[in-house]
Amino acid sequence: MRLDKYLSNMGLGSRKEVKPLLKSGAVEVNGKTEKDPKRHVEAETDRITVNGEEILYTEFIYLMLHKPPGTVSATEDSRDRTVVDLLGPAERHFNPFPVGRLDKDTEGLLLLTNDGKLAHELLSPRKHVDKTYFARIDGEVTAEDAEAFREGVILDDGYKTKPATLRILSAGPESEIELTITEGKFHQVKRMFRSVGKEVVYLKRLSMGTLRLDPSLGPGEYRPLTEQELKGLKQEK
Ligand code: URA
């Protein structure tokens, strides 16, 4: 493909916008400065750099986002800020979308990708990908609640949840817990606690399958998945 198309496809701007970049001498092909936008390059074998940094040709993007509260897990919304609005133009260029949903007031781990196949597999109810949440609960969470969650509780629509693991970190008038569930019903964690007469007052997703929220990412920050993290996700049972 043409060099300007390569650079444009990798999010460096429109073909028109990459022209001055080429003209400035910032782009090298296999170690040699290349200014011709029409130069033919092979995505598989040629090494393209911009200001010394290698630009690998990839079709897919995989981002770990620490979703902040107050954003919606969607690509577009007429009222609220979406998780995609948090990304820079280079990432948005790939049209990523969130894999599954966190409520507007929930924060924590959210995977964003344009790999529809992987997203579909991770969300498939047949896969039972574990999701672990940290929550603060208004009320004293008890061993009986843990037992009820292990057995499965009946939600407000009559659905019986699959066995879930509740770890009580601290119990009191306000309790702190970690809950691991293997499904993703609408508002599931909040509804599970409601079924035992308690309210979730703060909710954060810590992990999804083998993928754990990087503690160095603050709310609203994101980074690409490492090779290892991606491999782990692709191998989810
Ligand atoms: N369960 C909830 O209730 N809300 C979320 O955002 C995720 C799981």
Side-chain angles (χ1 to χ4, degrees), residues 106-146:
T106 301
E107 70 171 274
L109 176 67
L110 193 62
L111 173 66
L112 294 163
T113 185
N114 55 353
D115 182 344
K117 185 165 169 276
L118 180 70
H120 183 76
E121 279 167 13
L122 290 171
L123 294 175
S124 161
R126 279 180 297 109
K127 292 257 174 170
H128 304 299
V129 175
D130 286 357
K131 277 143 301 224
T132 297
Y133 295 85
F134 167 83
R136 278 195 209 101
I137 311 295
D138 183 13
E140 183 161 357
V141 177
T142 63
E144 287 77 50
D145 296 333

Side-chain angles (χ1 to χ4, degrees), residues 47-159:
R47 185 172 188 272
I48 323 286
T49 62
V50 174
N51 294 319
E53 211 175 296
E54 187 166 10
I55 309 293
L56 288 173
Y57 198 85
T58 51
E59 186 182 351
F60 295 123
I61 188 169
Y62 304 92
L63 300 170
M64 174 191 294
L65 169 72
H66 183 159
K67 177 193 174 295
T71 51
V72 293
S73 302
T75 51
E76 275 175 50
D77 195 275
S78 53
R79 266 187 318 167
D80 292 307
R81 211 158 178 230
T82 74
V83 289
V84 171
D85 292 334
L86 299 167
L87 306 178
E91 290 81 22
R92 275 210 300 271
H93 168 84
F94 285 88
N95 295 322
F97 56 86
V99 178
R101 283 204 186 149
L102 291 177
D103 296 338
K104 186 174 165 187
D105 60 351
T106 301
E107 70 171 274
L109 176 67
L110 193 62
L111 173 66
L112 294 163
T113 185
N114 55 353
D115 182 344
K117 185 165 169 276
L118 180 70
H120 183 76
E121 279 167 13
L122 290 171
L123 294 175
S124 161
R126 279 180 297 109
K127 292 257 174 170
H128 304 299
V129 175
D130 286 357
K131 277 143 301 224
T132 297
Y133 295 85
F134 167 83
R136 278 195 209 101
I137 311 295
D138 183 13
E140 183 161 357
V141 177
T142 63
E144 287 77 50
D145 296 333
E147 179 56 27
F149 285 3
R150 194 162 31 243
E151 293 286 321
V153 288
I154 311 286
L155 301 183
D156 46 16
D157 58 358
Y159 177 79

Side-chain angles (χ1 to χ4, degrees), residues 101-103 106 133 187-191 203:
R101 283 204 186 149
L102 291 177
D103 296 338
T106 301
Y133 295 85
H187 297 326
Q188 181 156 347
V189 176
K190 292 172 186 167
R191 289 162 73 210
L203 188 60

